[in-house]
Amino acid sequence: MSEGPWESSFAIPASHPCLPGHFPGRPVVPGVVLLDQVMEAARAAGLGRAARLPAAKFLRPVLPEERVTLTMRRTASGRVAFTGRVGEDLAFQGEIAEG
């Protein structure tokens, strides 16, 4: 992975199997599904497998079908910082540490 920033986007379809139980009547994409998308994007960028996720913070719910713009960049410590935005809103952020 280059120093970055590296950017991609994704949307979780309303038909995703995790949504009916999270939460009935008002589905919200679970954080673990969002983090899975982060890890998939990191692998696609050549990061390889992450050993740890030392920091992750969720700042707003992500709803089904919302387009998330994911930005990743390498930090001075060698970790990969990531942010997920829905439009201009920061939805989540964190860091990946390689193993």
Side-chain angles (χ1 to χ4, degrees):
M1 178 175 179
S2 68
E3 293 300 313
W6 187 85
E7 192 172 286
S8 66
S9 67
F10 65 89
I12 303 301
S15 61
H16 194 284
C18 74
L19 294 173
H22 200 270
F23 296 95
R26 175 125 165 65
V28 174
V29 178
V32 68
V33 174
L34 297 172
L35 293 175
D36 186 55
Q37 291 293 314
V38 170
M39 296 303 183
E40 185 176 312
R43 283 189 298 273
L47 177 62
R49 285 192 88 67
R52 297 181 295 121
L53 190 70
K57 185 173 186 178
F58 299 93
L59 304 162
R60 90 178 264 304
V62 175
L63 304 177
E65 306 293 337
E66 283 189 311
R67 175 71 40 196
V68 176
T69 301
L70 178 63
T71 304
M72 297 188 299
R73 65 175 177 75
R74 191 162 303 274
T75 67
S77 67
R79 292 181 175 174
V80 175
F82 63 85
T83 60
R85 294 186 178 276
V86 176
E88 295 297 316
D89 295 337
L90 181 60
F92 57 90
Q93 62 188 18
E95 286 188 342
I96 299 168
E98 297 176 82

Coordinates of all heavy atoms in Angstrom, one line a residue:
M1 N 0.8 -1.2 0.0 CA 0.0 0.0 0.0 C 0.9 1.2 0.0 O 1.8 1.3 0.8 CB -0.9 0.0 1.2 CG -1.8 1.1 1.4 SD -2.8 0.9 2.8 CE -3.7 2.4 2.8
S2 N 0.6 2.2 -0.8 CA 1.3 3.4 -0.8 C 1.0 4.2 0.4 O 0.2 3.8 1.2 CB 0.9 4.2 -2.1 OG -0.4 4.7 -2.0
E3 N 1.7 5.3 0.6 CA 1.5 6.2 1.8 C 0.1 6.7 1.8 O -0.4 7.0 2.9 CB 2.5 7.3 1.8 CG 3.9 6.8 2.0 CD 4.2 6.1 3.3 OE1 3.7 6.6 4.4 OE2 4.8 5.0 3.3
G4 N -0.6 6.8 0.7 CA -2.0 7.2 0.7 C -2.1 8.7 0.4 O -1.2 9.3 0.1
P5 N -3.3 9.2 0.6 CA -4.4 8.4 1.0 C -5.0 7.5 -0.1 O -4.8 7.8 -1.3 CB -5.5 9.5 1.4 CG -5.1 10.7 0.5 CD -3.6 10.6 0.3
W6 N -5.6 6.5 0.3 CA -6.2 5.5 -0.6 C -7.7 5.6 -0.3 O -8.1 5.6 0.8 CB -5.7 4.1 -0.3 CG -6.1 3.1 -1.3 CD1 -5.5 2.8 -2.5 CD2 -7.2 2.2 -1.1 NE1 -6.2 1.8 -3.1 CE2 -7.2 1.4 -2.3 CE3 -8.1 2.0 -0.1 CZ2 -8.2 0.4 -2.5 CZ3 -9.1 1.0 -0.3 CH2 -9.1 0.2 -1.5
E7 N -8.5 5.6 -1.4 CA -10.0 5.8 -1.2 C -10.8 4.7 -2.0 O -10.4 4.3 -3.1 CB -10.4 7.2 -1.7 CG -11.8 7.6 -1.3 CD -12.0 9.1 -1.6 OE1 -11.5 9.9 -0.8 OE2 -12.7 9.3 -2.6
S8 N -11.9 4.3 -1.4 CA -12.9 3.5 -2.0 C -14.2 3.8 -1.5 O -14.4 4.6 -0.5 CB -12.5 2.0 -1.8 OG -12.6 1.6 -0.5
S9 N -15.2 3.1 -2.0 CA -16.6 3.3 -1.4 C -17.3 2.0 -1.5 O -17.0 1.1 -2.3 CB -17.3 4.4 -2.2 OG -17.6 4.0 -3.5
F10 N -18.4 1.9 -0.7 CA -19.2 0.8 -0.6 C -20.6 1.1 -0.1 O -20.7 2.2 0.5 CB -18.6 -0.4 0.2 CG -18.4 0.0 1.7 CD1 -19.5 -0.3 2.6 CD2 -17.3 0.6 2.2 CE1 -19.3 0.0 3.9 CE2 -17.2 0.9 3.5 CZ -18.2 0.6 4.4
A11 N -21.5 0.3 -0.3 CA -22.9 0.4 0.3 C -23.3 -1.0 0.7 O -23.1 -2.0 0.0 CB -23.9 1.0 -0.6
I12 N -23.9 -1.1 1.9 CA -24.4 -2.4 2.3 C -25.9 -2.5 1.8 O -26.7 -1.7 2.2 CB -24.3 -2.6 3.9 CG1 -22.9 -2.4 4.3 CG2 -24.9 -3.9 4.3 CD1 -21.9 -3.3 3.8
P13 N -26.2 -3.6 1.0 CA -27.5 -3.7 0.5 C -28.6 -3.9 1.5 O -28.3 -4.6 2.6 CB -27.4 -4.8 -0.5 CG -26.2 -5.6 -0.1 CD -25.3 -4.6 0.6
A14 N -29.8 -3.5 1.3 CA -30.9 -3.7 2.2 C -31.2 -5.2 2.4 O -31.8 -5.6 3.4 CB -32.1 -2.9 1.7
S15 N -30.7 -6.0 1.5 CA -31.0 -7.4 1.6 C -29.9 -8.2 2.4 O -30.0 -9.4 2.5 CB -31.0 -8.0 0.1 OG -29.8 -7.8 -0.5
H16 N -28.9 -7.5 2.9 CA -27.9 -8.1 3.7 C -28.5 -8.9 4.8 O -29.4 -8.4 5.5 CB -26.9 -7.1 4.2 CG -25.6 -7.7 4.7 ND1 -25.5 -8.4 5.9 CD2 -24.4 -7.8 4.2 CE1 -24.3 -8.8 6.1 NE2 -23.6 -8.4 5.0
P17 N -28.0 -10.2 5.1 CA -28.7 -11.0 6.1 C -28.5 -10.5 7.5 O -29.3 -11.0 8.4 CB -28.0 -12.4 5.9 CG -26.8 -12.1 5.1 CD -27.0 -10.9 4.3
C18 N -27.6 -9.6 7.8 CA -27.5 -9.1 9.2 C -28.6 -8.1 9.6 O -28.8 -7.8 10.8 CB -26.1 -8.5 9.4 SG -25.9 -6.9 8.6
L19 N -29.2 -7.5 8.6 CA -30.1 -6.4 8.9 C -31.4 -6.7 9.6 O -31.8 -5.9 10.5 CB -30.3 -5.6 7.6 CG -29.0 -4.9 7.1 CD1 -29.3 -4.3 5.7 CD2 -28.5 -3.9 8.1
P20 N -32.1 -7.7 9.3 CA -33.4 -7.9 10.0 C -33.3 -8.0 11.5 O -34.2 -7.5 12.2 CB -33.9 -9.3 9.5 CG -33.2 -9.4 8.1 CD -31.9 -8.7 8.3
G21 N -32.2 -8.4 12.1 CA -32.1 -8.5 13.5 C -31.4 -7.3 14.2 O -31.2 -7.2 15.4
H22 N -31.0 -6.3 13.3 CA -30.1 -5.2 13.8 C -30.6 -3.9 13.3 O -30.0 -3.3 12.4 CB -28.7 -5.4 13.4 CG -27.7 -4.7 14.2 ND1 -27.3 -3.4 13.9 CD2 -27.1 -5.0 15.4 CE1 -26.4 -3.0 14.8 NE2 -26.2 -4.0 15.7
F23 N -31.6 -3.3 13.5 CA -32.7 -3.5 14.5 C -34.0 -3.7 13.8 O -34.2 -3.0 12.8 CB -32.7 -2.4 15.5 CG -31.4 -2.2 16.3 CD1 -30.4 -1.4 15.9 CD2 -31.3 -3.0 17.4 CE1 -29.3 -1.3 16.6 CE2 -30.1 -2.9 18.2 CZ -29.1 -2.0 17.8
P24 N -34.9 -4.5 14.3 CA -36.2 -4.7 13.6 C -36.9 -3.4 13.5 O -37.1 -2.7 14.4 CB -36.9 -5.7 14.5 CG -35.8 -6.5 15.2 CD -34.7 -5.4 15.4
G25 N -37.4 -3.2 12.3 CA -38.2 -2.0 12.0 C -37.3 -0.7 11.6 O -37.8 0.2 11.0
R26 N -36.1 -0.7 12.0 CA -35.2 0.4 11.7 C -33.7 -0.2 11.6 O -32.9 0.0 12.5 CB -35.2 1.5 12.8 CG -34.2 2.6 12.6 CD -34.8 3.9 12.5 NE -33.9 5.1 12.6 CZ -33.0 5.4 11.8 NH1 -32.8 4.7 10.7 NH2 -32.3 6.5 12.0
P27 N -33.5 -0.9 10.5 CA -32.2 -1.5 10.3 C -31.0 -0.5 10.3 O -31.1 0.5 9.7 CB -32.3 -2.3 9.0 CG -33.4 -1.7 8.3 CD -34.3 -1.0 9.3
V28 N -29.9 -0.9 11.0 CA -28.7 -0.2 11.1 C -27.6 -1.2 10.7 O -27.6 -2.3 11.2 CB -28.5 0.4 12.5 CG1 -27.1 1.1 12.6 CG2 -29.6 1.4 12.8
V29 N -26.6 -0.8 9.9 CA -25.5 -1.7 9.6 C -24.7 -1.9 10.8 O -24.2 -0.9 11.4 CB -24.7 -1.1 8.4 CG1 -23.5 -2.0 8.1 CG2 -25.6 -0.9 7.2
P30 N -24.4 -3.1 11.3 CA -23.6 -3.4 12.4 C -22.1 -2.9 12.2 O -21.6 -3.0 11.1 CB -23.7 -4.9 12.6 CG -24.9 -5.3 11.9 CD -25.0 -4.3 10.7
G31 N -21.5 -2.5 13.3 CA -20.1 -2.1 13.2 C -19.2 -3.2 12.7 O -18.3 -2.9 11.9
V32 N -19.5 -4.4 13.0 CA -18.6 -5.5 12.5 C -18.7 -5.7 11.0 O -17.7 -6.0 10.4 CB -18.9 -6.8 13.3 CG1 -20.3 -7.4 12.9 CG2 -17.9 -7.9 13.0
V33 N -19.8 -5.4 10.4 CA -20.0 -5.4 9.0 C -19.2 -4.3 8.3 O -18.5 -4.4 7.3 CB -21.4 -5.4 8.6 CG1 -21.6 -5.3 7.1 CG2 -22.2 -6.6 9.1
L34 N -19.2 -3.1 9.0 CA -18.4 -1.9 8.5 C -16.9 -2.2 8.5 O -16.2 -2.0 7.6 CB -18.8 -0.7 9.2 CG -20.2 -0.2 9.1 CD1 -20.5 0.9 10.1 CD2 -20.6 0.2 7.7
L35 N -16.5 -2.8 9.7 CA -15.1 -3.1 9.8 C -14.7 -4.2 8.9 O -13.5 -4.2 8.4 CB -14.8 -3.5 11.3 CG -15.0 -2.4 12.3 CD1 -14.8 -2.9 13.7 CD2 -14.0 -1.2 12.0
D36 N -15.5 -5.1 8.5 CA -15.2 -6.1 7.5 C -15.0 -5.5 6.2 O -14.0 -5.9 5.5 CB -16.4 -7.2 7.4 CG -16.0 -8.3 6.5 OD1 -14.9 -9.0 6.8 OD2 -16.8 -8.6 5.6
Q37 N -15.7 -4.5 5.9 CA -15.5 -3.7 4.6 C -14.2 -3.0 4.6 O -13.5 -2.9 3.6 CB -16.6 -2.7 4.4 CG -18.0 -3.4 4.1 CD -17.9 -4.1 2.7 OE1 -17.5 -3.5 1.7 NE2 -18.5 -5.3 2.7
V38 N -13.8 -2.4 5.8 CA -12.5 -1.8 6.0 C -11.4 -2.8 5.7 O -10.4 -2.5 5.0 CB -12.4 -1.1 7.4 CG1 -10.9 -0.7 7.6 CG2 -13.3 0.0 7.5
M39 N -11.5 -4.0 6.3 CA -10.4 -5.0 6.2 C -10.3 -5.5 4.7 O -9.2 -5.7 4.2 CB -10.7 -6.1 7.1 CG -10.6 -5.8 8.6 SD -9.0 -5.1 9.0 CE -9.2 -4.8 10.7
E40 N -11.5 -5.6 4.1 CA -11.5 -6.0 2.7 C -10.8 -5.0 1.8 O -10.0 -5.3 0.9 CB -12.9 -6.3 2.2 CG -13.0 -6.8 0.8 CD -14.4 -7.1 0.5 OE1 -15.2 -7.8 1.3 OE2 -14.8 -6.7 -0.7
A41 N -11.1 -3.7 2.1 CA -10.4 -2.6 1.3 C -9.0 -2.6 1.6 O -8.2 -2.3 0.6 CB -11.1 -1.3 1.6
A42 N -8.6 -2.8 2.8 CA -7.1 -2.8 3.2 C -6.4 -3.9 2.4 O -5.3 -3.7 1.9 CB -7.0 -2.9 4.7
R43 N -7.0 -5.1 2.4 CA -6.4 -6.2 1.6 C -6.3 -5.9 0.2 O -5.2 -6.2 -0.5 CB -7.2 -7.5 1.9 CG -6.9 -8.2 3.2 CD -7.5 -9.5 3.3 NE -9.0 -9.5 3.2 CZ -9.8 -9.3 4.2 NH1 -9.4 -9.1 5.4 NH2 -11.1 -9.4 4.0
A44 N -7.3 -5.3 -0.4 CA -7.3 -4.9 -1.8 C -6.2 -3.9 -2.1 O -5.7 -3.9 -3.2 CB -8.7 -4.4 -2.2
A45 N -5.9 -3.1 -1.2 CA -4.9 -2.1 -1.3 C -3.5 -2.6 -1.1 O -2.5 -1.9 -1.2 CB -5.1 -0.9 -0.4
G46 N -3.4 -3.9 -0.8 CA -2.1 -4.5 -0.6 C -1.6 -4.5 0.9 O -0.4 -4.7 1.1
L47 N -2.5 -4.2 1.8 CA -2.1 -4.1 3.2 C -1.8 -5.5 3.8 O -1.0 -5.7 4.6 CB -3.2 -3.4 4.0 CG -3.0 -3.4 5.5 CD1 -1.7 -2.6 5.8 CD2 -4.2 -2.8 6.2
G48 N -2.5 -6.5 3.3 CA -2.4 -7.8 3.8 C -3.4 -8.0 5.0 O -4.3 -7.3 5.1
R49 N -3.1 -9.0 5.8 CA -4.0 -9.2 7.0 C -3.6 -8.3 8.1 O -2.5 -8.2 8.5 CB -3.9 -10.7 7.4 CG -4.7 -11.6 6.4 CD -4.9 -13.0 7.0 NE -6.0 -13.2 7.8 CZ -7.3 -13.2 7.5 NH1 -7.6 -12.8 6.2 NH2 -8.3 -13.5 8.3
A50 N -4.6 -7.7 8.7 CA -4.4 -6.9 9.9 C -4.3 -7.8 11.1 O -5.0 -8.8 11.2 CB -5.6 -5.9 10.1
A51 N -3.4 -7.5 12.0 CA -3.2 -8.3 13.2 C -4.1 -7.8 14.3 O -4.5 -8.5 15.1 CB -1.7 -8.3 13.6
R52 N -4.3 -6.4 14.3 CA -5.0 -5.8 15.4 C -5.8 -4.6 14.9 O -5.4 -4.0 13.9 CB -4.1 -5.3 16.5 CG -3.3 -6.4 17.2 CD -2.4 -5.8 18.3 NE -1.4 -5.0 17.8 CZ -1.2 -3.7 18.1 NH1 -2.0 -3.1 19.0 NH2 -0.2 -2.9 17.6
L53 N -6.8 -4.3 15.6 CA -7.6 -3.1 15.3 C -7.6 -2.3 16.6 O -8.5 -2.4 17.5 CB -9.0 -3.5 15.0 CG -9.9 -2.4 14.5 CD1 -9.5 -2.0 13.1 CD2 -11.3 -2.9 14.4
P54 N -6.5 -1.6 16.9 CA -6.3 -0.9 18.2 C -7.3 0.2 18.5 O -7.5 0.6 19.6 CB -4.9 -0.4 18.1 CG -4.5 -0.3 16.7 CD -5.3 -1.4 16.0
A55 N -7.9 0.7 17.5 CA -8.9 1.8 17.7 C -10.0 1.8 16.6 O -9.7 1.6 15.5 CB -8.2 3.2 17.6
A56 N -11.2 1.9 17.1 CA -12.3 2.1 16.2 C -13.4 2.9 17.0 O -13.7 2.5 18.1 CB -12.9 0.8 15.7
K57 N -14.0 3.9 16.3 CA -15.0 4.7 17.0 C -16.1 4.9 15.9 O -15.8 5.3 14.8 CB -14.4 6.0 17.4 CG -15.3 6.9 18.2 CD -14.6 8.1 18.7 CE -15.5 8.9 19.6 NZ -14.7 10.1 20.1
F58 N -17.3 4.7 16.4 CA -18.5 4.8 15.5 C -19.2 6.1 16.0 O -19.6 6.2 17.1 CB -19.4 3.6 15.6 CG -18.7 2.4 15.1 CD1 -18.0 1.6 16.1 CD2 -18.6 2.0 13.8 CE1 -17.3 0.4 15.6 CE2 -17.9 0.9 13.4 CZ -17.3 0.1 14.3
L59 N -19.4 7.0 15.0 CA -19.9 8.4 15.4 C -21.3 8.6 14.9 O -22.0 9.5 15.4 CB -19.0 9.4 14.8 CG -17.5 9.3 15.2 CD1 -16.6 10.0 14.3 CD2 -17.4 9.7 16.7
R60 N -21.8 7.8 14.0 CA -23.2 7.9 13.5 C -23.6 6.6 12.9 O -22.7 5.9 12.3 CB -23.3 9.1 12.6 CG -23.1 8.7 11.1 CD -23.3 9.6 10.1 NE -24.4 9.9 9.2 CZ -25.0 9.2 8.4 NH1 -24.9 7.9 8.4 NH2 -25.9 9.6 7.6
P61 N -24.9 6.3 12.9 CA -25.3 5.0 12.3 C -25.1 5.1 10.8 O -25.3 6.2 10.2 CB -26.8 4.9 12.7 CG -27.0 5.9 13.7 CD -25.9 7.0 13.6
V62 N -24.8 3.9 10.2 CA -24.8 3.8 8.8 C -26.1 2.9 8.4 O -26.2 1.9 9.0 CB -23.5 3.1 8.3 CG1 -23.6 2.9 6.8 CG2 -22.3 4.0 8.6
L63 N -26.9 3.5 7.6 CA -28.1 2.8 7.2 C -27.9 2.0 5.9 O -27.0 2.2 5.1 CB -29.2 3.8 7.0 CG -29.5 4.7 8.2 CD1 -30.6 5.8 7.8 CD2 -29.9 3.9 9.4
P64 N -28.7 0.9 5.7 CA -28.6 0.2 4.5 C -28.7 1.1 3.2 O -29.5 2.1 3.3 CB -29.8 -0.8 4.5 CG -30.2 -0.8 6.0 CD -29.8 0.5 6.6
E65 N -28.0 0.7 2.2 CA -27.9 1.4 0.9 C -27.2 2.8 1.0 O -27.0 3.4 -0.1 CB -29.3 1.6 0.4 CG -30.2 0.4 0.2 CD -29.6 -0.6 -0.8 OE1 -28.9 -0.2 -1.7 OE2 -30.0 -1.8 -0.7
E66 N -26.8 3.3 2.2 CA -26.0 4.5 2.2 C -24.6 4.3 1.6 O -24.0 3.3 2.0 CB -25.9 5.1 3.6 CG -27.2 5.7 4.1 CD -27.0 6.5 5.4 OE1 -26.4 5.9 6.4 OE2 -27.4 7.6 5.5
R67 N -24.2 5.2 0.8 CA -22.8 5.1 0.2 C -21.8 5.6 1.2 O -21.9 6.7 1.7 CB -22.8 5.9 -1.1 CG -21.4 6.0 -1.8 CD -20.9 4.8 -2.4 NE -21.9 4.0 -3.2 CZ -21.6 2.8 -3.5 NH1 -20.4 2.2 -3.3 NH2 -22.5 2.1 -4.2
V68 N -20.9 4.7 1.6 CA -19.8 5.1 2.5 C -18.5 5.3 1.7 O -18.1 4.4 0.9 CB -19.6 4.0 3.6 CG1 -18.4 4.3 4.5 CG2 -20.8 3.7 4.4
T69 N -17.9 6.4 1.9 CA -16.6 6.7 1.3 C -15.5 6.4 2.4 O -15.5 7.0 3.4 CB -16.4 8.2 0.9 OG1 -17.5 8.4 -0.1 CG2 -15.1 8.4 0.2
L70 N -14.7 5.4 2.1 CA -13.6 5.0 3.0 C -12.3 5.5 2.5 O -11.9 5.4 1.3 CB -13.6 3.4 2.9 CG -12.5 2.8 3.8 CD1 -12.7 3.1 5.3 CD2 -12.5 1.3 3.5
T71 N -11.6 6.2 3.4 CA -10.3 6.7 3.1 C -9.3 6.1 4.1 O -9.6 6.0 5.3 CB -10.3 8.3 3.3 OG1 -11.3 8.8 2.4 CG2 -8.9 8.9 2.9
M72 N -8.1 5.7 3.6 CA -7.1 5.1 4.4 C -5.8 5.7 4.1 O -5.5 6.1 3.0 CB -7.0 3.6 4.2 CG -8.3 2.8 4.6 SD -8.1 1.0 4.5 CE -7.7 0.7 2.8
R73 N -4.9 5.9 5.1 CA -3.6 6.4 4.9 C -2.7 5.8 6.0 O -3.1 5.5 7.1 CB -3.6 7.9 5.0 CG -3.9 8.5 6.4 CD -3.8 10.0 6.5 NE -4.2 10.4 7.8 CZ -3.5 10.2 8.9 NH1 -2.3 9.7 8.9 NH2 -4.0 10.6 10.1
R74 N -1.4 5.7 5.6 CA -0.4 5.2 6.5 C 0.0 6.3 7.4 O 0.3 7.4 7.0 CB 0.8 4.6 5.8 CG 1.7 3.8 6.7 CD 2.6 2.9 6.0 NE 2.0 1.9 5.2 CZ 1.6 0.7 5.6 NH1 1.6 0.4 6.9 NH2 1.1 -0.2 4.7
T75 N 0.1 6.0 8.7 CA 0.6 7.0 9.7 C 2.1 6.9 9.9 O 2.7 6.0 9.5 CB -0.1 6.7 11.1 OG1 0.3 5.5 11.6 CG2 -1.6 6.7 10.9
A76 N 2.6 7.9 10.6 CA 4.1 7.9 10.9 C 4.5 6.6 11.7 O 5.6 6.2 11.6 CB 4.4 9.1 11.7
S77 N 3.6 6.1 12.5 CA 3.9 4.9 13.3 C 3.8 3.6 12.5 O 4.1 2.5 13.0 CB 3.0 4.8 14.5 OG 1.6 4.6 14.1
G78 N 3.4 3.7 11.2 CA 3.3 2.5 10.4 C 1.9 1.9 10.4 O 1.7 0.9 9.7
R79 N 1.0 2.4 11.2 CA -0.4 1.9 11.2 C -1.1 2.5 10.0 O -0.6 3.4 9.4 CB -1.1 2.2 12.5 CG -0.5 1.5 13.7 CD -1.3 1.9 15.0 NE -0.8 1.1 16.1 CZ -1.2 1.3 17.3 NH1 -2.1 2.3 17.6 NH2 -0.8 0.5 18.3
V80 N -2.3 2.0 9.8 CA -3.2 2.5 8.8 C -4.4 3.2 9.4 O -5.2 2.5 10.1 CB -3.6 1.4 7.8 CG1 -4.6 2.0 6.8 CG2 -2.4 0.8 7.1
A81 N -4.5 4.5 9.3 CA -5.7 5.2 9.8 C -6.8 5.1 8.7 O -6.5 5.2 7.5 CB -5.3 6.6 10.1
F82 N -8.0 5.0 9.2 CA -9.1 5.0 8.3 C -10.3 5.8 8.8 O -10.5 6.0 10.0 CB -9.6 3.5 8.0 CG -10.2 2.8 9.2 CD1 -11.5 3.0 9.6 CD2 -9.4 2.0 10.0 CE1 -12.0 2.3 10.7 CE2 -9.9 1.3 11.1 CZ -11.2 1.5 11.4
T83 N -11.0 6.4 7.8 CA -12.3 7.1 8.1 C -13.3 6.6 7.1 O -13.0 6.2 6.0 CB -12.1 8.6 8.0 OG1 -11.8 8.9 6.6 CG2 -11.1 9.2 8.9
G84 N -14.6 6.6 7.6 CA -15.7 6.2 6.8 C -16.7 7.4 6.8 O -17.1 7.8 7.9
R85 N -17.1 8.0 5.7 CA -18.0 9.1 5.6 C -19.2 8.7 4.8 O -19.1 8.0 3.8 CB -17.3 10.3 5.0 CG -16.2 10.9 5.8 CD -15.6 12.2 5.2 NE -14.6 12.7 6.1 CZ -14.8 13.5 7.1 NH1 -16.0 13.8 7.5 NH2 -13.8 13.9 7.9
V86 N -20.3 9.3 5.3 CA -21.6 9.2 4.5 C -21.8 10.7 4.1 O -22.1 11.5 5.0 CB -22.7 8.6 5.3 CG1 -24.0 8.7 4.5 CG2 -22.4 7.2 5.7
G87 N -21.7 11.0 2.9 CA -21.7 12.4 2.5 C -20.6 13.1 3.2 O -19.4 12.7 3.1
E88 N -20.9 14.2 3.8 CA -19.9 15.0 4.6 C -19.8 14.5 6.0 O -18.9 14.9 6.7 CB -20.3 16.5 4.6 CG -20.3 17.1 3.2 CD -18.9 17.1 2.6 OE1 -17.9 17.4 3.3 OE2 -18.7 16.7 1.4
D89 N -20.7 13.6 6.5 CA -20.7 13.2 7.9 C -19.7 12.1 8.1 O -19.6 11.1 7.4 CB -22.1 12.6 8.2 CG -23.2 13.6 8.2 OD1 -22.9 14.8 8.3 OD2 -24.4 13.2 8.0
L90 N -18.9 12.3 9.2 CA -17.9 11.2 9.6 C -18.7 10.2 10.4 O -19.4 10.5 11.4 CB -16.9 11.8 10.5 CG -15.8 10.9 11.0 CD1 -15.0 10.2 9.9 CD2 -14.9 11.6 12.0
A91 N -18.8 9.0 9.8 CA -19.6 7.9 10.4 C -18.7 7.0 11.4 O -19.2 6.6 12.4 CB -20.2 7.0 9.3
F92 N -17.4 6.8 11.0 CA -16.6 6.0 11.8 C -15.1 6.3 11.5 O -14.8 6.8 10.4 CB -16.9 4.5 11.7 CG -16.8 3.9 10.3 CD1 -15.6 3.4 9.8 CD2 -17.9 3.9 9.5 CE1 -15.5 2.9 8.5 CE2 -17.8 3.3 8.2 CZ -16.6 2.9 7.7
Q93 N -14.2 5.9 12.4 CA -12.8 6.1 12.2 C -12.0 5.1 13.1 O -12.6 4.5 14.0 CB -12.4 7.5 12.5 CG -12.6 7.9 14.0 CD -12.3 9.3 14.3 OE1 -12.3 10.2 13.4 NE2 -12.1 9.7 15.5
G94 N -10.8 4.9 12.7 CA -10.0 4.0 13.5 C -8.6 3.8 12.9 O -8.2 4.5 12.0
E95 N -7.9 2.7 13.5 CA -6.6 2.3 13.0 C -6.5 0.8 12.9 O -7.0 0.1 13.7 CB -5.5 2.8 14.0 CG -5.2 4.3 13.9 CD -4.0 4.7 14.8 OE1 -3.6 3.9 15.6 OE2 -3.5 5.8 14.5
I96 N -5.6 0.4 11.9 CA -5.3 -1.0 11.7 C -3.8 -1.1 12.0 O -3.0 -0.3 11.5 CB -5.6 -1.4 10.3 CG1 -7.1 -1.3 9.9 CG2 -5.1 -2.8 10.0 CD1 -7.4 -1.4 8.4
A97 N -3.4 -2.2 12.7 CA -2.0 -2.5 12.9 C -1.7 -3.8 12.2 O -2.5 -4.8 12.3 CB -1.7 -2.6 14.4
E98 N -0.7 -3.8 11.4 CA -0.3 -5.0 10.7 C 0.5 -6.0 11.7 O 1.0 -5.6 12.7 CB 0.6 -4.7 9.5 CG -0.1 -3.8 8.5 CD 0.9 -3.4 7.4 OE1 1.1 -4.3 6.5 OE2 1.4 -2.3 7.5
G99 N 0.4 -7.3 11.3 CA 1.1 -8.2 12.2 C 2.3 -8.8 11.6 O 2.8 -8.5 10.6

